[in-house]
Amino acid sequence: MQIAKLSNTISLQRSVEQANADHVTTVREVIEQVRKNGDKALFNYTEKWDGAKLTSLRVTEEEVEKAFASFDSQLITDLEEAAVNIRAFHLQQVRQNIDFPLEKKSYIQYKITPLDAVGLYVPGGTAAYPSSVLMNAIPAIVAGVKRVVIVSPPSKEGKLPASVLVAAKIAGITEIYKVGGAQAIAALAYGTESIQAVDKITGPGNSYVALAKREVFGKVAIDMIAGPSEIAIIADETAFADEVASDLLAQAEHDRFASAVLVTTSEKLAREVADEVEIQLKQLPREEIARASIENFGRIYIAESLAQAVDAVNELAPEHLEIMTQHPEDISDQIKHAGAIFVGRFSSEPVGDYFAGTNHVLPTNSTARFSSGLCVDDFIKKTSVVYYTEEMWQEQYPKIARLARLEQLEGHARSVESRSWKKGDSN
């Protein structure tokens, strides 16, 4: 890994456009074909890109039960416990209606309503991600969404990974479709003969999925345009080089465009980590992917102080931030911008990825400066409610009319004044 003295800022942004400029035309064509041809387009693209010739898209109950029956019992227990943790954490995020009484028996209200239907994209291809099922499905269910749909690309044999089906059963999702890529996003947004359209799409995916989500935004809501995974680590001389290196590589193995950054006050640790990364890379099954990430987007910076390190990381606003210092909680209190913070050497990033209960769908490319990870709020909408009695209206309408005329909106003023000649019914 490259080692350098830390300047004032760190910038390793890798936008969807930068990584995949040639994909936009393809994605737009796919979306248009799905809009025009529905299921026929889904079958064609699934055969073309996934190598699976399907006659139906929906996963059957028999397929789910077969996957569950054949799956390792210990892993089922582990997934179930992870689901309990995720549900418990997200239950704390549930909002209630806010009722604000006014004078004269009037009131205003902030009404919380769950979305009717959401679609969850679960990545496939080089790996299976049951954790993505739990992280997307459970907050939606906790929020009260009635229809939760999963889409995921099938294998050449026309099957979804057993682990994904098991996680779906644990989460309580029964509507699952064998379709991935931009075509799956288009189907969720516009609907086909088999797949009814949804109101919002969440979940990570490859560049085609990210671009498709951007294209359909406005027709449906989306969670975020997520870029490749990233991690930053703040460490001092008390950190262990092999642990730091393994945590950097845990993100690097995700994607060739993943970013792994260490900011340390110890030049000795910096050099030890660089050496350790090379040693561990050679032992990693996904070495080719991880090596490309480390060579292109991996960096080690030597800071003059922890204060300088904190300032640089706050500017970077990474998706994941690990703090491996002598007093990590003190450093954590100083972090303003990060998708998720992992405090101390025993809180490595995979703890949050899989088990602790916090959500692993997080903002990337420095968007943690203004956005948050997936949560229950992503699956609800908020509506204001106003109720004025006749007495309240009588007292307030002259003020409202004056404000309307201040903005030269005579129709608004007349609207509120039009009740002035009537008496009686306060409803």
Side-chain angles (χ1 to χ4, degrees):
M1 293 183 71
Q2 297 181 32
I3 302 176
K5 292 287 186 181
L6 178 63
S7 60
N8 292 330
T9 60
I10 302 169
S11 179
L12 289 173
Q13 291 193 14
R14 302 133 302 137
S15 71
V16 169
E17 292 87 348
Q18 289 172 326
N20 309 287
D22 296 337
H23 297 173
V24 177
T25 301
T26 299
V27 165
R28 289 175 177 168
E29 180 183 341
V30 169
I31 292 172
E32 186 60 25
Q33 287 298 313
V34 173
R35 289 185 67 180
K36 287 182 177 179
N37 300 312
D39 283 357
K40 181 180 178 181
L42 298 183
F43 287 130
N44 288 342
Y45 285 126
T46 301
E47 184 175 4
K48 178 180 179 180
W49 285 323
D50 299 309
K53 191 173 180 63
L54 302 177
T55 56
S56 64
L57 296 168
R58 186 160 180 171
V59 174
T60 65
E61 184 178 349
E62 181 183 0
E63 288 177 282
V64 175
E65 293 302 327
K66 183 177 179 181
F68 201 86
S70 64
F71 207 66
D72 181 272
S73 60
Q74 181 60 61
L75 287 174
I76 290 175
T77 300
D78 294 340
L79 285 169
E80 288 174 337
E81 189 172 347
V84 168
N85 295 341
I86 296 165
R87 185 172 287 105
F89 181 75
H90 288 82
L91 277 169
Q92 303 306 309
Q93 302 169 8
V94 174
R95 291 175 179 255
Q96 304 297 326
N97 289 350
I98 299 173
D99 297 303
F100 189 75
L102 304 175
E103 297 176 354
K104 300 176 174 38
K105 299 182 180 179
S106 300
Y107 65 83
I108 55 178
Q109 185 184 70
Y110 205 43
K111 182 180 178 182
I112 307 301
T113 309
L115 301 182
D116 288 335
V118 299
L120 314 179
Y121 189 91
V122 178
T126 58
Y129 296 98
S131 60
S132 281
V133 175
L134 301 182
M135 292 292 179
N136 284 271
I138 291 174
I141 293 168
V142 167
V145 178
K146 298 301 182 186
R147 178 173 172 249
V148 182
V149 182
I150 288 175
V151 293
S152 189
S155 66
K156 291 181 180 180
E157 293 73 34
K159 298 179 180 180
L160 295 189
S163 59
V164 168
L165 298 182
V166 168
K169 182 176 175 64
I170 290 170
I173 308 303
T174 58
E175 190 175 348
I176 310 166
Y177 297 97
K178 304 172 186 178
V179 60
Q183 61 270 28
I185 301 301
L188 291 173
Y190 295 99
T192 71
E193 297 90 333
S194 296
I195 304 175
Q196 186 180 348
V198 300
D199 300 313
K200 186 167 187 173
I201 302 171
T202 73
N206 63 17
S207 59
Y208 291 100
V209 171
L211 287 167
K213 286 168 72 176
R214 186 178 65 180
E215 291 293 324
V216 301
F217 175 65
K219 174 63 177 176
V220 293
I222 61 171
D223 50 354
M224 63 187 78
I225 303 295
S229 189
E230 58 197 38
I231 188 170
I233 299 176
I234 296 176
D236 61 15
E237 69 282 355
T238 65
F240 294 88
D242 60 335
E243 295 175 1
V244 174
S246 67
D247 292 358
L248 294 171
L249 291 175
Q251 294 309 301
E253 72 173 353
H254 267 297
D255 189 288
R256 294 175 182 274
F257 290 96
S259 169
V261 174
L262 167 64
V263 184
T264 179
T265 52
S266 169
E267 184 172 347
K268 179 175 181 290
L269 179 70
R271 301 195 180 283
E272 289 176 348
V273 168
D275 292 341
E276 189 65 35
V277 164
E278 184 57 35
I279 291 170
Q280 293 188 27
L281 263 173
K282 295 175 181 177
Q283 303 166 356
L284 206 62
R286 294 167 67 91
E287 178 187 355
E288 184 180 353
I289 292 172
R291 187 174 293 279
S293 165
I294 290 296
E295 289 178 354
N296 292 307
F297 301 105
R299 300 288 188 276
I300 298 175
Y301 294 100
I302 301 173
E304 293 179 1
S305 65
L306 285 174
Q308 186 193 27
V310 167
D311 287 345
V313 167
N314 273 327
E315 182 72 19
L316 179 62
E319 177 187 18
H320 307 100
L321 172 64
E322 289 187 2
I323 303 172
M324 301 173 70
T325 60
Q326 187 171 10
H327 302 291
E329 290 175 286
D330 293 344
I331 301 298
S332 178
D333 290 341
Q334 300 173 51
I335 300 300
K336 297 186 297 180
H337 306 307
I341 303 170
F342 302 86
V343 183
R345 60 181 290 228
F346 297 107
S347 308
S348 63
E349 186 273 339
V351 174
D353 260 359
Y354 295 109
F355 206 75
T358 56
N359 209 287
H360 75 201
V361 181
L362 301 167
T364 61
N365 281 335
S366 297
T367 58
R369 289 181 294 106
F370 51 79
S371 60
S372 309
L374 196 71
C375 66
V376 170
D377 273 3
D378 285 293
F379 300 100
I380 63 172
K381 57 190 182 71
K382 286 84 76 176
T383 307
S384 58
V385 178
V386 178
Y387 175 73
Y388 266 24
T389 61
E390 183 176 357
E391 292 79 12
M392 188 67 165
W393 164 83
Q394 187 74 41
E395 181 179 292
Q396 304 296 346
Y397 85 82
K399 306 170 190 177
I400 300 167
R402 286 194 294 269
L403 292 174
R405 291 191 171 101
L406 175 65
E407 297 186 350
Q408 300 182 5
L409 294 173
E410 183 62 26
H412 282 61
R414 293 179 184 182
S415 169
V416 75
E417 289 174 338
S418 69
R419 280 85 177 152
S420 61
W421 61 276
K422 302 183 182 73
K423 292 183 178 180
D425 187 5
S426 64
N427 294 320

